[in-house]
Amino acid sequence: MADLRVNFAGISSPNPFWLASAPPTNSGYQVMRAFEAGWGGVVWKTLTDKPIVNTTSRFAGLRLHGQRMVGFNNIELISDRPLADNLREIAEVKRRFPDRAVIASIMIEPKRDLWHEVIKRTQDAGVDGFELNFGCPHGMAERGMGAAVGQHPDLVKMQTEWAKEAATVPVIAKLTPNITDIRVTAQAARAGGADAVSMINTINSLMGVDLNTWNTIPHIDGRGAHGGYCGPAVKPIALHMVAECAKDPLVGIPISGMGGISDWRDAVEFMLMGSTSVQVCTAVMHHGFRIVEDMLDGLNNYLDDKGILRAMDLVGQATGKYGDWNRLNLRYQTVAKIDEDTCIRCNKCYVACEDSAHQAIQMIANKEDGKSRYHLEVVRDECVGCNLCYEVCPVDGCITMEVVDNGLDAVTWSDLQDTVAHGNR
Ligand SMILES: Cc1cc2nc3c(=O)[nH]c(=O)nc-3n(C[C@H](O)[C@H](O)[C@H](O)COP(=O)(O)O)c2cc1C
Ligand code: SF4
Ligand code: SF4
């Protein structure tokens, strides 16, 4: 059994699985139940000096082919409970679960003294760290907080500095994805003294429009507002942002990754790409706290199978395999191969390749086959190895992408540019 403990920027946690700041971390009752289920840490639902007012309703889910909450949209604000109540409960949670990580998410008006005051009061409750919410894209942003800060590197730096002036525990800056290049704000957070960054908060979104009433989904008394998008659908965006920050030496501080993590596999991917801890919100809102049991088992088995002794040893192992396009081997070649035995003749691959790829799949008449009148074959010389047929095929393993040994040495676009620059093309 591997050692699942992580040390995230000085914050220790018995495992890397944290609940993200969100409805599941809104109260001591919930957090204690989450810890009983096995979560290693929580980021408490964002606190500020005075409670806010929420709307009803506030959530909407994207459904896809019968599956619910593939993507999730919310226009919820930060904690609508009094700060004093939250702090009392945080202290109680820390007393009962001293080994777990309890991080306070905070969002404060742009007033330095108020930052200091809230940080000191919250720190007295015994939190292990702060997460600065520079990411909430709706409601708070219109008040000059959340993403309104996270979209301006100078504000990220300044408010991180304010937090650091008062905090004696590690400070994590939680960044917004609603920005062109997240590395810029990650660097600003570091310049402001942040001990770590976390990402992603939710992505600006409008879930839909009701075709009968023409109201937005969701609507509040006939009006809608942009919301924050999360859940499985955002995972590739989040993973990319984690990877970008992880490989940037100017960021160079630990990362807590989140966005679409639903199971241990997602979590491992985030860790391999550079996250030390991983946070989960939507999957818990969908399935409950107990999903952590599978996450713990899955991670444990994975580490054992790989002969890896510590979860921490996963962190950043795949970062070096990810980079810019101009470093890719342009001579690497694959071709599709169709397995006639498992093919159900749905023709999806044929149509995809004919209409959207390179017309490399042929229907070959079967002369002696009692099963079907034809089978599909890939014309190897026409196939560019684009993967489209592989992606559309409904039968797992029916189409494989085979590596072609073309005898050519690897060459990248950068190599070619160097060759041109040195005049020996
Ligand atoms: C209903 C809801 C409320 C949220 N409230 C907060 C919040 O108060 N503070 C915060 O930093 N993030 C908040 N988030 C964002 C989550 O912490 C997280 O960044 C995001 O949901 C991505 O993770 P996921 O795909 O696992 O849900 C909220 C998300 C949802 C769905
Ligand atoms: S990999 Fe692309 S080009 Fe090759 S057969 Fe499939 S769809 Fe056609
Ligand atoms: S998509 Fe897959 S199952 Fe369908 S015809 Fe092509 S290879 Fe066969």
Side-chain angles (χ1 to χ4, degrees), residues 335-336 349 352-353 357-361 378 382-390 399 401:
V335 290
C349 60
C353 192
H358 292 261
Q359 302 79 54
I361 298 180
V378 175
E382 298 296 329
C383 173
V384 300
C386 70
N387 285 14
L388 182 61
C389 55
Y390 169 85
I399 296 185
M401 301 303 299

Short mmCIF file of all heavy atoms in Angstrom, two decimals, residues 335-336 349 352-353 357-361 378 382-390 399 401, ligand 2:
data_model
loop_
_atom_site.label_atom_id
_atom_site.label_comp_id
_atom_site.label_asym_id
_atom_site.label_seq_id
_atom_site.Cartn_x
_atom_site.Cartn_y
_atom_site.Cartn_z
N VAL A 335 -1.23 4.73 -39.16
CA VAL A 335 -2.36 4.48 -40.07
C VAL A 335 -3.42 3.69 -39.31
O VAL A 335 -3.11 2.94 -38.38
CB VAL A 335 -1.99 3.67 -41.34
CG1 VAL A 335 -1.13 4.46 -42.29
CG2 VAL A 335 -1.36 2.34 -40.98
N ALA A 336 -4.66 3.90 -39.76
CA ALA A 336 -5.77 3.20 -39.12
C ALA A 336 -5.83 1.76 -39.61
O ALA A 336 -5.48 1.46 -40.76
CB ALA A 336 -7.07 3.91 -39.43
N CYS A 349 -17.18 5.12 -39.64
CA CYS A 349 -15.81 5.47 -40.00
C CYS A 349 -15.72 5.82 -41.48
O CYS A 349 -15.04 6.77 -41.87
CB CYS A 349 -14.86 4.32 -39.67
SG CYS A 349 -15.27 2.80 -40.55
N ALA A 352 -17.19 9.27 -42.01
CA ALA A 352 -16.30 10.30 -41.44
C ALA A 352 -15.09 10.52 -42.34
O ALA A 352 -14.71 11.66 -42.63
CB ALA A 352 -15.86 9.88 -40.04
N CYS A 353 -14.50 9.43 -42.80
CA CYS A 353 -13.30 9.58 -43.62
C CYS A 353 -13.65 10.15 -44.99
O CYS A 353 -12.93 10.99 -45.53
CB CYS A 353 -12.58 8.24 -43.76
SG CYS A 353 -10.93 8.43 -44.46
N ALA A 357 -12.41 13.59 -43.81
CA ALA A 357 -10.98 13.30 -43.72
C ALA A 357 -10.41 13.08 -45.12
O ALA A 357 -10.56 13.95 -45.98
CB ALA A 357 -10.74 12.12 -42.80
N HIS A 358 -9.83 11.91 -45.40
CA HIS A 358 -9.02 11.78 -46.61
C HIS A 358 -9.44 10.67 -47.55
O HIS A 358 -8.63 10.19 -48.33
CB HIS A 358 -7.55 11.65 -46.18
CG HIS A 358 -7.05 12.92 -45.58
ND1 HIS A 358 -6.31 13.84 -46.28
CD2 HIS A 358 -7.27 13.47 -44.37
CE1 HIS A 358 -6.06 14.89 -45.51
NE2 HIS A 358 -6.63 14.68 -44.35
N GLN A 359 -10.69 10.28 -47.47
CA GLN A 359 -11.26 9.28 -48.39
C GLN A 359 -10.34 8.05 -48.46
O GLN A 359 -10.00 7.57 -49.54
CB GLN A 359 -11.47 9.87 -49.80
CG GLN A 359 -12.38 11.10 -49.83
CD GLN A 359 -11.69 12.37 -49.40
OE1 GLN A 359 -10.64 12.69 -49.95
NE2 GLN A 359 -12.23 13.10 -48.43
N ALA A 360 -9.95 7.59 -47.26
CA ALA A 360 -8.98 6.50 -47.20
C ALA A 360 -9.61 5.16 -46.81
O ALA A 360 -8.90 4.18 -46.62
CB ALA A 360 -7.88 6.86 -46.21
N ILE A 361 -10.94 5.13 -46.67
CA ILE A 361 -11.57 3.84 -46.32
C ILE A 361 -12.41 3.37 -47.51
O ILE A 361 -13.20 4.13 -48.07
CB ILE A 361 -12.45 3.97 -45.05
CG1 ILE A 361 -11.56 4.38 -43.85
CG2 ILE A 361 -13.17 2.66 -44.75
CD1 ILE A 361 -12.30 4.54 -42.55
N VAL A 378 -8.79 0.05 -44.92
CA VAL A 378 -8.09 1.33 -45.00
C VAL A 378 -7.04 1.24 -46.11
O VAL A 378 -6.27 0.28 -46.18
CB VAL A 378 -7.40 1.66 -43.66
CG1 VAL A 378 -6.56 2.93 -43.77
CG2 VAL A 378 -8.44 1.78 -42.55
N GLU A 382 -3.29 6.34 -48.48
CA GLU A 382 -4.13 7.55 -48.42
C GLU A 382 -4.36 8.02 -46.99
O GLU A 382 -4.71 9.17 -46.75
CB GLU A 382 -5.51 7.26 -49.06
CG GLU A 382 -5.46 6.89 -50.53
CD GLU A 382 -4.94 8.03 -51.39
OE1 GLU A 382 -5.16 9.20 -51.04
OE2 GLU A 382 -4.27 7.73 -52.40
N CYS A 383 -4.22 7.11 -46.05
CA CYS A 383 -4.53 7.44 -44.64
C CYS A 383 -3.46 8.36 -44.07
O CYS A 383 -2.28 8.07 -44.14
CB CYS A 383 -4.62 6.14 -43.83
SG CYS A 383 -4.81 6.44 -42.06
N VAL A 384 -3.92 9.48 -43.49
CA VAL A 384 -2.96 10.42 -42.88
C VAL A 384 -2.86 10.21 -41.36
O VAL A 384 -2.20 10.98 -40.66
CB VAL A 384 -3.33 11.89 -43.17
CG1 VAL A 384 -3.36 12.16 -44.66
CG2 VAL A 384 -4.67 12.25 -42.53
N GLY A 385 -3.54 9.21 -40.86
CA GLY A 385 -3.47 8.91 -39.42
C GLY A 385 -4.10 9.99 -38.56
O GLY A 385 -3.62 10.28 -37.45
N CYS A 386 -5.20 10.57 -39.04
CA CYS A 386 -5.79 11.71 -38.30
C CYS A 386 -6.57 11.27 -37.07
O CYS A 386 -6.90 12.10 -36.22
CB CYS A 386 -6.67 12.52 -39.23
SG CYS A 386 -8.20 11.68 -39.70
N ASN A 387 -6.93 9.99 -36.97
CA ASN A 387 -7.67 9.44 -35.81
C ASN A 387 -9.18 9.61 -35.88
O ASN A 387 -9.87 9.20 -34.96
CB ASN A 387 -7.25 10.08 -34.47
CG ASN A 387 -5.93 9.62 -33.96
OD1 ASN A 387 -5.16 9.01 -34.69
ND2 ASN A 387 -5.65 9.92 -32.71
N LEU A 388 -9.70 10.27 -36.93
CA LEU A 388 -11.14 10.55 -36.91
C LEU A 388 -11.96 9.26 -36.88
O LEU A 388 -12.89 9.14 -36.09
CB LEU A 388 -11.53 11.42 -38.13
CG LEU A 388 -13.01 11.82 -38.17
CD1 LEU A 388 -13.39 12.65 -36.94
CD2 LEU A 388 -13.33 12.58 -39.45
N CYS A 389 -11.58 8.28 -37.73
CA CYS A 389 -12.35 7.03 -37.75
C CYS A 389 -12.29 6.35 -36.39
O CYS A 389 -13.29 5.83 -35.90
CB CYS A 389 -11.82 6.12 -38.85
SG CYS A 389 -10.05 5.80 -38.71
N TYR A 390 -11.12 6.37 -35.78
CA TYR A 390 -10.93 5.77 -34.46
C TYR A 390 -11.88 6.42 -33.45
O TYR A 390 -12.49 5.75 -32.62
CB TYR A 390 -9.47 5.94 -34.04
CG TYR A 390 -9.16 5.61 -32.61
CD1 TYR A 390 -8.89 4.30 -32.24
CD2 TYR A 390 -9.14 6.60 -31.64
CE1 TYR A 390 -8.61 3.99 -30.92
CE2 TYR A 390 -8.86 6.31 -30.33
CZ TYR A 390 -8.61 4.99 -29.96
OH TYR A 390 -8.35 4.69 -28.66
N ILE A 399 -11.07 -0.24 -34.28
CA ILE A 399 -10.09 0.48 -35.08
C ILE A 399 -8.88 0.75 -34.19
O ILE A 399 -9.02 1.23 -33.06
CB ILE A 399 -10.65 1.81 -35.63
CG1 ILE A 399 -11.81 1.52 -36.59
CG2 ILE A 399 -9.55 2.62 -36.33
CD1 ILE A 399 -12.38 2.73 -37.28
N MET A 401 -4.81 2.44 -34.25
CA MET A 401 -3.89 3.29 -34.99
C MET A 401 -2.51 2.65 -34.88
O MET A 401 -1.94 2.58 -33.79
CB MET A 401 -3.89 4.72 -34.41
CG MET A 401 -5.24 5.41 -34.43
SD MET A 401 -6.04 5.54 -36.05
CE MET A 401 -4.87 6.50 -36.98
S1 SF4 B 2 -7.15 7.94 -39.74
FE1 SF4 B 2 -8.18 9.61 -40.80
S2 SF4 B 2 -7.47 9.42 -42.91
FE2 SF4 B 2 -6.97 7.48 -41.92
S3 SF4 B 2 -8.71 6.18 -42.37
FE3 SF4 B 2 -9.13 7.14 -40.40
S4 SF4 B 2 -10.32 9.00 -40.89
FE4 SF4 B 2 -9.36 8.26 -42.79
#
